[in-house]
Amino acid sequence: MAPWVMPLYIFSGIIMAIGAYLTIRYRPYCTLKSPEREIAMELYLKTLRNESMHIEEEKRYRGFKKETSLFTNGMRILLISTSIHIVTLIGSGLLWSMPIYGISIFLMLPIHKYYFDPFCFSWVFRPSKAFIIDRIDICLKQSRSKFLHDDELKEYKSEMNNQKEFYVVSNLLKLGVITNLIFDIWFSISYTLVEFF
């Protein structure tokens, strides 16, 4: 094993833990529960349409925006760090000597198919302003029990399915990261005890 592999593995594990913390601690506004979700959407819609807001509304919007931004950054960190961690784990031979790590890799892999989802945050590509306005309008209409046309209803159902799938995949990712970190700590302690005692 090359001498730089283990430090890179440890470093990516620490960064991965930071990313996991951010995604557990913070939530993007479109995944909040009602009525907070609708309030955040209305405020975001005002900013997209350049409408004026009261001081209290601006303060509240900044809070929602900060939470969403921290979550998005956590997901970006996880996307990069889990990629490095998995490649290092496989390339170093650690996976073959400790196959139990396969569980954490299996849980972390599905996240790599996402680039942005749901619509209120993005990892790589930012959805267009028109797309976001359209999605918010549809979600707000549905939450206010207003009539949705067939196309709008189809988009709303698609959005809700994307969010459900995202919840499942992001929770599996967090479980994979936590499982991996537990294995790392467990094997580090075992190795230290064997070496020194």
Side-chain angles (χ1 to χ4, degrees), residues 30-86:
C30 58
T31 63
L32 295 171
K33 293 190 176 173
S34 296
E36 281 289 291
R37 181 174 186 259
E38 283 76 27
I39 293 166
M41 284 183 170
E42 285 169 2
L43 294 175
Y44 189 33
L45 201 54
K46 280 187 175 185
T47 62
L48 291 172
R49 291 178 172 158
N50 297 318
E51 296 174 10
S52 61
M53 287 193 281
H54 302 296
I55 294 167
E56 198 58 42
E57 286 179 323
E58 282 181 16
K59 187 178 174 186
R60 213 156 176 203
Y61 171 70
R62 280 196 300 272
F64 290 129
K65 188 176 178 183
K66 182 183 173 190
E67 289 251 341
T68 302
S69 177
L70 287 166
F71 178 88
T72 304
N73 289 334
M75 280 303 204
R76 285 185 181 132
I77 289 168
L78 277 177
L79 185 65
I80 295 164
S81 61
T82 55
S83 300
I84 294 168
H85 208 69
I86 289 168

Side-chain angles (χ1 to χ4, degrees), residues 57-139:
E57 286 179 323
E58 282 181 16
K59 187 178 174 186
R60 213 156 176 203
Y61 171 70
R62 280 196 300 272
F64 290 129
K65 188 176 178 183
K66 182 183 173 190
E67 289 251 341
T68 302
S69 177
L70 287 166
F71 178 88
T72 304
N73 289 334
M75 280 303 204
R76 285 185 181 132
I77 289 168
L78 277 177
L79 185 65
I80 295 164
S81 61
T82 55
S83 300
I84 294 168
H85 208 69
I86 289 168
V87 168
T88 311
L89 187 64
I90 293 168
S92 67
L94 285 172
L95 178 62
W96 317 124
S97 61
M98 294 175 275
I100 197 164
Y101 272 109
I103 296 167
S104 63
I105 290 176
F106 176 76
L107 293 170
M108 288 190 279
L109 277 178
I111 204 69
H112 294 272
K113 78 176 211 166
Y114 285 92
Y115 292 103
F116 70 88
D117 211 286
F119 65 87
C120 71
F121 65 93
S122 97
W123 298 356
V124 181
F125 305 110
R126 185 83 182 128
S128 71
K129 195 177 185 179
F131 175 86
I132 295 170
I133 289 172
D134 183 53
R135 288 296 160 111
I136 292 174
D137 277 336
I138 289 169
C139 289

